[in-house]
Every structure is written in structure tokens, then in C-alpha cells.
Amino acid sequence: MCDQCQRPLNVCICECLVSLKAPCNIVILQHPSEQKQPLATVPILKLCLSNLKVIVGEELGQHPDVQDLIAAPDGVAVIYPGRNAEQWDLKIPLLNRELADTPKTLIVLDGTWRKAKLLWFNNPWLQSFRIVALKGIPESEYLVRSSKIEGGVSTLEAVMHSCNFISQSNHYDELMNPFKAMVDWQIKKMGKEIFYAHYMNKDE
């Protein structure tokens, strides 16, 4: 195993890692089931973003870091596609984007769509924060974990798009380098025939 990326040496992605600082603090609330996923993207984010914190659990209201956020909600935003969420439209050209207020902390829920909804409803304090939703998001490149949810993307992609939107740049596209390396390695490992049979016929 590689000591840095914690992946088998024959699928190490260290040469593709980047070192970045997000335009705001990133707090990831991770459902415990995601810790068992060998193709999870949060480990990549932990290696690439300096100002990122991961909190694991299902009901997190009593966690000290969460208590700090609840005590000072101004400047905190959470990504969730709620009905009344503020829309961050990724299709608007960079120079024409208007961000009402740049959040100091952005909360991202990490898990399958079902587990993300559980996190949302098990932690009602999240609804006291500013809620934002990513609109016009490009199709996910998370080719080795299928999703039938429209607009569904990996946690890494959600963080990358959010950071680009907040910073009005494409600077955080670099996060896709290790992500794509992980996906490419997995496709090679399983073989193209198995990959196409299991992942490229999602509607069948």
C-alpha cells in the first residue's frame, strides 16, 4: 500500500495529486458507510485541499465542530437541492456570475443520494443555514459508481464546481487530475468488457 494515498502501489495516484486551498473552509459531513467505499473521493480531497475537514456520523449535532458552526451560522452555506435553495448556475459564464455573499464555510454531504438525504433529515440544524444548489452541473465523470439521480455527481466534483463558482475561476479543475486517474485505473483493473457491461448501459 502507498503510504500517502493509501491505495495499492499498482494503482497509486500520488503523481496526480495537487495542493490547493479552497476559497472557503470546506466541511464534509460523511455518512459512515462511505468510509468502506474503495472508490470514495473524499480521501482524494483530504490529500489535495488544505482547508478541508471531514466529520463522520449520522447524527452530528453534538460534534464540537458542528456546535461551533451552529453558534455562528452567518457565513455558513450547505449544498442541498432544496426547493428554496439559492441556485448557483454553472452554465453562466465566469465573468457574468454574481455571488450574493461568499460563504466562509461550505458544508457538503457525502454519501449515496439516499444516505445524503438521511444526513439531511437526521440533522435538522442544517436547515438553519443558507442552502445552495448547483444548477447546470455537467455530467459526472464518476464512471465507476453509477447513479440514476439527475445531476448526481461525486463529492469531489461537487466541491470542485463549488470552489470554481465561488472563486469565479477554473482553478479547481486540477482536482479532477487524481480523480480521473483513480477512475482510469479502476476501469483498467476491471477490464473494458466488464466496465461497458455494468456501467455504460445504465438505462437498460
Side-chain angles (χ1 to χ4, degrees), residues 27 29 53 55 59-72 107 123 125-126 129:
V27 174
L29 304 185
K53 183 175 294 184
I55 304 173
E59 297 181 10
L60 299 164
Q62 298 306 310
H63 191 283
D65 292 327
V66 170
Q67 286 287 305
D68 289 342
L69 294 174
I70 294 174
I107 298 175
N123 297 277
W125 48 269
L126 285 169
F129 296 134

PDB file of all heavy atoms in Angstrom, residues 27 29 53 55 59-72 107 123 125-126 129:
ATOM      1  N   VAL A  27     -16.360  21.809   4.890  1.00  0.00           N
ATOM      2  CA  VAL A  27     -16.667  20.807   5.916  1.00  0.00           C
ATOM      3  C   VAL A  27     -17.510  19.719   5.255  1.00  0.00           C
ATOM      4  O   VAL A  27     -18.583  19.999   4.725  1.00  0.00           O
ATOM      5  CB  VAL A  27     -17.432  21.422   7.106  1.00  0.00           C
ATOM      6  CG1 VAL A  27     -17.873  20.323   8.079  1.00  0.00           C
ATOM      7  CG2 VAL A  27     -16.568  22.447   7.823  1.00  0.00           C
ATOM      8  N   LEU A  29     -19.669  16.391   5.735  1.00  0.00           N
ATOM      9  CA  LEU A  29     -20.365  15.505   6.654  1.00  0.00           C
ATOM     10  C   LEU A  29     -20.507  14.167   5.941  1.00  0.00           C
ATOM     11  O   LEU A  29     -21.236  14.046   4.957  1.00  0.00           O
ATOM     12  CB  LEU A  29     -21.744  16.073   7.019  1.00  0.00           C
ATOM     13  CG  LEU A  29     -21.762  17.487   7.609  1.00  0.00           C
ATOM     14  CD1 LEU A  29     -23.178  17.859   8.017  1.00  0.00           C
ATOM     15  CD2 LEU A  29     -20.806  17.616   8.794  1.00  0.00           C
ATOM     16  N   LYS A  53     -12.221  19.759   6.258  1.00  0.00           N
ATOM     17  CA  LYS A  53     -12.413  18.953   7.454  1.00  0.00           C
ATOM     18  C   LYS A  53     -13.519  17.935   7.177  1.00  0.00           C
ATOM     19  O   LYS A  53     -14.530  18.266   6.552  1.00  0.00           O
ATOM     20  CB  LYS A  53     -12.802  19.854   8.630  1.00  0.00           C
ATOM     21  CG  LYS A  53     -12.973  19.145   9.957  1.00  0.00           C
ATOM     22  CD  LYS A  53     -13.228  20.158  11.071  1.00  0.00           C
ATOM     23  CE  LYS A  53     -12.026  21.034  11.305  1.00  0.00           C
ATOM     24  NZ  LYS A  53     -12.195  21.969  12.433  1.00  0.00           N
ATOM     25  N   ILE A  55     -16.179  15.209   8.942  1.00  0.00           N
ATOM     26  CA  ILE A  55     -16.839  14.776  10.170  1.00  0.00           C
ATOM     27  C   ILE A  55     -17.716  13.584   9.808  1.00  0.00           C
ATOM     28  O   ILE A  55     -18.575  13.682   8.940  1.00  0.00           O
ATOM     29  CB  ILE A  55     -17.696  15.907  10.779  1.00  0.00           C
ATOM     30  CG1 ILE A  55     -16.837  17.159  11.029  1.00  0.00           C
ATOM     31  CG2 ILE A  55     -18.353  15.450  12.073  1.00  0.00           C
ATOM     32  CD1 ILE A  55     -17.638  18.373  11.480  1.00  0.00           C
ATOM     33  N   GLU A  59     -25.851  11.334  13.071  1.00  0.00           N
ATOM     34  CA  GLU A  59     -26.441  12.459  13.795  1.00  0.00           C
ATOM     35  C   GLU A  59     -25.295  13.231  14.430  1.00  0.00           C
ATOM     36  O   GLU A  59     -24.670  12.772  15.385  1.00  0.00           O
ATOM     37  CB  GLU A  59     -27.437  11.961  14.837  1.00  0.00           C
ATOM     38  CG  GLU A  59     -28.627  11.237  14.209  1.00  0.00           C
ATOM     39  CD  GLU A  59     -29.637  10.767  15.233  1.00  0.00           C
ATOM     40  OE1 GLU A  59     -29.522  11.168  16.424  1.00  0.00           O
ATOM     41  OE2 GLU A  59     -30.537  10.004  14.866  1.00  0.00           O
ATOM     42  N   LEU A  60     -25.037  14.428  13.904  1.00  0.00           N
ATOM     43  CA  LEU A  60     -23.777  15.112  14.208  1.00  0.00           C
ATOM     44  C   LEU A  60     -23.948  16.410  14.990  1.00  0.00           C
ATOM     45  O   LEU A  60     -23.001  17.153  15.167  1.00  0.00           O
ATOM     46  CB  LEU A  60     -23.041  15.407  12.890  1.00  0.00           C
ATOM     47  CG  LEU A  60     -22.672  14.154  12.087  1.00  0.00           C
ATOM     48  CD1 LEU A  60     -22.324  14.520  10.650  1.00  0.00           C
ATOM     49  CD2 LEU A  60     -21.512  13.442  12.745  1.00  0.00           C
ATOM     50  N   GLY A  61     -25.149  16.654  15.460  1.00  0.00           N
ATOM     51  CA  GLY A  61     -25.424  17.928  16.125  1.00  0.00           C
ATOM     52  C   GLY A  61     -24.590  18.198  17.358  1.00  0.00           C
ATOM     53  O   GLY A  61     -24.370  19.357  17.719  1.00  0.00           O
ATOM     54  N   GLN A  62     -24.099  17.150  18.011  1.00  0.00           N
ATOM     55  CA  GLN A  62     -23.336  17.338  19.254  1.00  0.00           C
ATOM     56  C   GLN A  62     -21.830  17.374  19.015  1.00  0.00           C
ATOM     57  O   GLN A  62     -21.065  17.545  19.965  1.00  0.00           O
ATOM     58  CB  GLN A  62     -23.677  16.218  20.245  1.00  0.00           C
ATOM     59  CG  GLN A  62     -25.137  16.181  20.658  1.00  0.00           C
ATOM     60  CD  GLN A  62     -25.613  17.521  21.194  1.00  0.00           C
ATOM     61  OE1 GLN A  62     -24.971  18.125  22.058  1.00  0.00           O
ATOM     62  NE2 GLN A  62     -26.746  17.997  20.696  1.00  0.00           N
ATOM     63  N   HIS A  63     -21.405  17.211  17.772  1.00  0.00           N
ATOM     64  CA  HIS A  63     -19.971  17.264  17.493  1.00  0.00           C
ATOM     65  C   HIS A  63     -19.455  18.680  17.764  1.00  0.00           C
ATOM     66  O   HIS A  63     -20.094  19.671  17.388  1.00  0.00           O
ATOM     67  CB  HIS A  63     -19.724  16.892  16.026  1.00  0.00           C
ATOM     68  CG  HIS A  63     -18.288  16.655  15.691  1.00  0.00           C
ATOM     69  ND1 HIS A  63     -17.387  17.690  15.505  1.00  0.00           N
ATOM     70  CD2 HIS A  63     -17.571  15.506  15.508  1.00  0.00           C
ATOM     71  CE1 HIS A  63     -16.206  17.188  15.220  1.00  0.00           C
ATOM     72  NE2 HIS A  63     -16.283  15.871  15.213  1.00  0.00           N
ATOM     73  N   PRO A  64     -18.305  18.829  18.433  1.00  0.00           N
ATOM     74  CA  PRO A  64     -17.797  20.164  18.792  1.00  0.00           C
ATOM     75  C   PRO A  64     -17.660  21.108  17.596  1.00  0.00           C
ATOM     76  O   PRO A  64     -18.005  22.302  17.703  1.00  0.00           O
ATOM     77  CB  PRO A  64     -16.428  19.861  19.419  1.00  0.00           C
ATOM     78  CG  PRO A  64     -16.546  18.469  19.924  1.00  0.00           C
ATOM     79  CD  PRO A  64     -17.443  17.751  18.967  1.00  0.00           C
ATOM     80  N   ASP A  65     -17.178  20.607  16.466  1.00  0.00           N
ATOM     81  CA  ASP A  65     -17.028  21.477  15.293  1.00  0.00           C
ATOM     82  C   ASP A  65     -18.381  21.908  14.738  1.00  0.00           C
ATOM     83  O   ASP A  65     -18.538  23.034  14.254  1.00  0.00           O
ATOM     84  CB  ASP A  65     -16.222  20.763  14.201  1.00  0.00           C
ATOM     85  CG  ASP A  65     -14.769  20.554  14.609  1.00  0.00           C
ATOM     86  OD1 ASP A  65     -14.233  21.410  15.324  1.00  0.00           O
ATOM     87  OD2 ASP A  65     -14.183  19.533  14.202  1.00  0.00           O
ATOM     88  N   VAL A  66     -19.354  21.012  14.818  1.00  0.00           N
ATOM     89  CA  VAL A  66     -20.712  21.361  14.372  1.00  0.00           C
ATOM     90  C   VAL A  66     -21.318  22.392  15.313  1.00  0.00           C
ATOM     91  O   VAL A  66     -21.973  23.348  14.881  1.00  0.00           O
ATOM     92  CB  VAL A  66     -21.596  20.104  14.293  1.00  0.00           C
ATOM     93  CG1 VAL A  66     -23.064  20.484  14.081  1.00  0.00           C
ATOM     94  CG2 VAL A  66     -21.128  19.203  13.155  1.00  0.00           C
ATOM     95  N   GLN A  67     -21.091  22.221  16.604  1.00  0.00           N
ATOM     96  CA  GLN A  67     -21.599  23.185  17.576  1.00  0.00           C
ATOM     97  C   GLN A  67     -21.054  24.585  17.306  1.00  0.00           C
ATOM     98  O   GLN A  67     -21.780  25.577  17.445  1.00  0.00           O
ATOM     99  CB  GLN A  67     -21.224  22.738  18.995  1.00  0.00           C
ATOM    100  CG  GLN A  67     -22.033  21.561  19.516  1.00  0.00           C
ATOM    101  CD  GLN A  67     -23.456  21.965  19.857  1.00  0.00           C
ATOM    102  OE1 GLN A  67     -23.690  22.889  20.649  1.00  0.00           O
ATOM    103  NE2 GLN A  67     -24.428  21.291  19.255  1.00  0.00           N
ATOM    104  N   ASP A  68     -19.806  24.666  16.889  1.00  0.00           N
ATOM    105  CA  ASP A  68     -19.216  25.965  16.555  1.00  0.00           C
ATOM    106  C   ASP A  68     -19.930  26.600  15.364  1.00  0.00           C
ATOM    107  O   ASP A  68     -20.169  27.816  15.347  1.00  0.00           O
ATOM    108  CB  ASP A  68     -17.725  25.801  16.230  1.00  0.00           C
ATOM    109  CG  ASP A  68     -16.887  25.471  17.455  1.00  0.00           C
ATOM    110  OD1 ASP A  68     -17.365  25.707  18.582  1.00  0.00           O
ATOM    111  OD2 ASP A  68     -15.760  24.973  17.279  1.00  0.00           O
ATOM    112  N   LEU A  69     -20.283  25.785  14.378  1.00  0.00           N
ATOM    113  CA  LEU A  69     -20.987  26.305  13.205  1.00  0.00           C
ATOM    114  C   LEU A  69     -22.396  26.761  13.573  1.00  0.00           C
ATOM    115  O   LEU A  69     -22.865  27.807  13.113  1.00  0.00           O
ATOM    116  CB  LEU A  69     -21.055  25.237  12.111  1.00  0.00           C
ATOM    117  CG  LEU A  69     -19.730  24.810  11.481  1.00  0.00           C
ATOM    118  CD1 LEU A  69     -19.945  23.643  10.525  1.00  0.00           C
ATOM    119  CD2 LEU A  69     -19.080  25.978  10.744  1.00  0.00           C
ATOM    120  N   ILE A  70     -23.069  25.970  14.396  1.00  0.00           N
ATOM    121  CA  ILE A  70     -24.434  26.316  14.804  1.00  0.00           C
ATOM    122  C   ILE A  70     -24.438  27.609  15.610  1.00  0.00           C
ATOM    123  O   ILE A  70     -25.353  28.435  15.490  1.00  0.00           O
ATOM    124  CB  ILE A  70     -25.048  25.164  15.630  1.00  0.00           C
ATOM    125  CG1 ILE A  70     -25.233  23.923  14.742  1.00  0.00           C
ATOM    126  CG2 ILE A  70     -26.382  25.581  16.235  1.00  0.00           C
ATOM    127  CD1 ILE A  70     -25.692  22.695  15.506  1.00  0.00           C
ATOM    128  N   ALA A  71     -23.393  27.822  16.404  1.00  0.00           N
ATOM    129  CA  ALA A  71     -23.310  29.028  17.244  1.00  0.00           C
ATOM    130  C   ALA A  71     -23.061  30.280  16.417  1.00  0.00           C
ATOM    131  O   ALA A  71     -23.388  31.392  16.857  1.00  0.00           O
ATOM    132  CB  ALA A  71     -22.204  28.848  18.285  1.00  0.00           C
ATOM    133  N   ALA A  72     -22.478  30.132  15.226  1.00  0.00           N
ATOM    134  CA  ALA A  72     -22.183  31.290  14.372  1.00  0.00           C
ATOM    135  C   ALA A  72     -22.602  30.952  12.938  1.00  0.00           C
ATOM    136  O   ALA A  72     -21.753  30.714  12.075  1.00  0.00           O
ATOM    137  CB  ALA A  72     -20.699  31.636  14.442  1.00  0.00           C
ATOM    138  N   ILE A 107     -20.647  23.502   3.617  1.00  0.00           N
ATOM    139  CA  ILE A 107     -20.888  22.137   4.095  1.00  0.00           C
ATOM    140  C   ILE A 107     -21.343  21.276   2.920  1.00  0.00           C
ATOM    141  O   ILE A 107     -22.224  21.664   2.147  1.00  0.00           O
ATOM    142  CB  ILE A 107     -21.955  22.114   5.199  1.00  0.00           C
ATOM    143  CG1 ILE A 107     -21.476  22.922   6.417  1.00  0.00           C
ATOM    144  CG2 ILE A 107     -22.288  20.687   5.602  1.00  0.00           C
ATOM    145  CD1 ILE A 107     -22.526  23.061   7.507  1.00  0.00           C
ATOM    146  N   ASN A 123     -30.281  15.579  10.693  1.00  0.00           N
ATOM    147  CA  ASN A 123     -29.597  16.754  11.246  1.00  0.00           C
ATOM    148  C   ASN A 123     -30.360  18.020  10.862  1.00  0.00           C
ATOM    149  O   ASN A 123     -29.923  18.800  10.009  1.00  0.00           O
ATOM    150  CB  ASN A 123     -28.160  16.805  10.712  1.00  0.00           C
ATOM    151  CG  ASN A 123     -27.334  15.614  11.156  1.00  0.00           C
ATOM    152  OD1 ASN A 123     -26.795  15.591  12.256  1.00  0.00           O
ATOM    153  ND2 ASN A 123     -27.231  14.594  10.307  1.00  0.00           N
ATOM    154  N   TRP A 125     -30.666  20.815  12.088  1.00  0.00           N
ATOM    155  CA  TRP A 125     -29.943  22.073  12.257  1.00  0.00           C
ATOM    156  C   TRP A 125     -29.336  22.550  10.935  1.00  0.00           C
ATOM    157  O   TRP A 125     -29.067  23.748  10.770  1.00  0.00           O
ATOM    158  CB  TRP A 125     -28.839  21.921  13.307  1.00  0.00           C
ATOM    159  CG  TRP A 125     -27.980  20.714  13.131  1.00  0.00           C
ATOM    160  CD1 TRP A 125     -28.180  19.481  13.675  1.00  0.00           C
ATOM    161  CD2 TRP A 125     -26.808  20.606  12.318  1.00  0.00           C
ATOM    162  NE1 TRP A 125     -27.205  18.609  13.265  1.00  0.00           N
ATOM    163  CE2 TRP A 125     -26.354  19.271  12.434  1.00  0.00           C
ATOM    164  CE3 TRP A 125     -26.096  21.492  11.521  1.00  0.00           C
ATOM    165  CZ2 TRP A 125     -25.218  18.812  11.762  1.00  0.00           C
ATOM    166  CZ3 TRP A 125     -24.960  21.046  10.864  1.00  0.00           C
ATOM    167  CH2 TRP A 125     -24.535  19.725  10.977  1.00  0.00           C
ATOM    168  N   LEU A 126     -29.120  21.639   9.970  1.00  0.00           N
ATOM    169  CA  LEU A 126     -28.596  22.039   8.664  1.00  0.00           C
ATOM    170  C   LEU A 126     -29.522  23.036   7.970  1.00  0.00           C
ATOM    171  O   LEU A 126     -29.074  23.903   7.216  1.00  0.00           O
ATOM    172  CB  LEU A 126     -28.416  20.809   7.772  1.00  0.00           C
ATOM    173  CG  LEU A 126     -27.229  19.890   8.062  1.00  0.00           C
ATOM    174  CD1 LEU A 126     -27.352  18.598   7.267  1.00  0.00           C
ATOM    175  CD2 LEU A 126     -25.913  20.600   7.715  1.00  0.00           C
ATOM    176  N   PHE A 129     -29.099  26.932   8.051  1.00  0.00           N
ATOM    177  CA  PHE A 129     -28.051  27.611   7.297  1.00  0.00           C
ATOM    178  C   PHE A 129     -28.565  28.038   5.920  1.00  0.00           C
ATOM    179  O   PHE A 129     -29.638  27.627   5.473  1.00  0.00           O
ATOM    180  CB  PHE A 129     -26.841  26.681   7.101  1.00  0.00           C
ATOM    181  CG  PHE A 129     -26.153  26.275   8.371  1.00  0.00           C
ATOM    182  CD1 PHE A 129     -25.806  24.944   8.600  1.00  0.00           C
ATOM    183  CD2 PHE A 129     -25.839  27.210   9.343  1.00  0.00           C
ATOM    184  CE1 PHE A 129     -25.162  24.563   9.763  1.00  0.00           C
ATOM    185  CE2 PHE A 129     -25.196  26.837  10.513  1.00  0.00           C
ATOM    186  CZ  PHE A 129     -24.862  25.512  10.725  1.00  0.00           C
TER     187      PHE A 129
END
